[in-house]
Amino acid sequence: MEQTEPKVLFIGGSGRCGSSILREALGQHSSCGVLPFEHRFLIDPDGIVDFYSSYENTWSPYNLDLRMKRLSIFLNTLAGSRKDNSTETDWLLPKEQYRRWDLKEHILEFKVLIDQLMTDLINFKFDAKWVGGREFDGEKSIWFSHRRDKKDIRKILQKFSWAAVHGILTGLKKEVYIEDNTWNLLYARQLLDLYPNAKFVHIHRHPLDVVASFMSENWCPNDVMEAADFYSSLMDQWRHVKEQIPSESYIEVPFEAYVDNPQDIYEKICNHLDIPFETDLLKTKILSSAVGKWKTLINMDKHAALAQRLASYIGEYGSEVK
């Protein structure tokens, strides 16, 4: 039986822009399924999109050997098969990486899907070693894959990606998967290759509120001007990406409008997904205090410089600085 494409909505933005609360709210819809965390197997380094994006222009026996092993290590680590006292830790990622991920508990037969993916990718293994290679699960071998057309490699990765999302939806007994992995919008073009009918929501927040929030996160710069540059690069990339994807595939919603009138935003998103609006979406509490916090969190002596640095983004994604 041929697999069908699952229905997926990718919620994204700069980070610290409201994507998590929007995912939580949409999870109240009778048709929408969410996980309590980001699954991360699609867009993280060494994940599906990374493998897909690099494949076409970097094929060589050595490159594919390393990339296929990295992909397997990454996916098996996310699956949660690692045990601290097991020999598995010799080939999975260090225990401090993806410590709480256990996707095999959330995605039906996830380990089986990983094994099938590697079977589909690898043509054969042979006893050998090259200077940049590594042992994998105690074996000294090179994993070989013939050079494939992009459409063929896409089909293999689609098979895995579709089955993984179906596994989530089956477990949740839902019809639409809501995904909010940070910065997924930056990979919208590749994600549309994998899920051609996917929809995207860009939720954006006043740039200065985002920068102020960045400074408190351990994955962002804590210097205000560096945080502004960090934000600028993310938004520049999104501007570039959205020129390359169909306009009907995405909508953009302001966080401030979401706080002010959530029902209006939910109705817009439901229409984008072609599902009916449900009042249960309104059960999620949204904190209005998050709007305008930059005015107290960022030192006054930085306001003018930030306003100048972020002027074009403020014009597009925020009100004029007062």
Side-chain angles (χ1 to χ4, degrees), residues 51 53-64 67 147:
F51 186 88
S53 299
S54 66
Y55 183 89
E56 187 174 21
N57 296 317
T58 61
W59 182 92
S60 76
Y62 290 169
N63 199 315
L64 261 291
R67 288 192 173 278
R147 174 72 169 81

Side-chain angles (χ1 to χ4, degrees), residues 106-168:
H106 297 272
I107 302 178
L108 189 67
E109 297 188 327
F110 191 55
K111 287 280 291 178
V112 174
L113 297 180
I114 296 169
D115 292 343
Q116 184 59 57
L117 171 63
M118 302 317 298
T119 297
D120 291 342
L121 287 173
I122 301 166
N123 292 114
F124 56 84
K125 302 177 183 179
F126 58 96
D127 294 336
K129 187 176 181 180
W130 59 283
V131 293
R134 61 170 294 178
E135 292 185 16
F136 187 91
D137 201 14
E139 65 177 32
K140 296 180 180 178
S141 66
I142 290 177
W143 296 6
F144 181 76
S145 175
H146 294 297
R147 174 72 169 81
R148 292 178 169 94
D149 290 334
K150 188 175 183 179
K151 64 180 181 180
D152 294 327
I153 204 71
R154 179 171 64 239
K155 186 174 181 180
I156 290 172
L157 298 177
Q158 268 186 349
K159 176 183 173 183
F160 171 84
S161 301
W162 290 11
V165 171
H166 276 304
I168 295 171

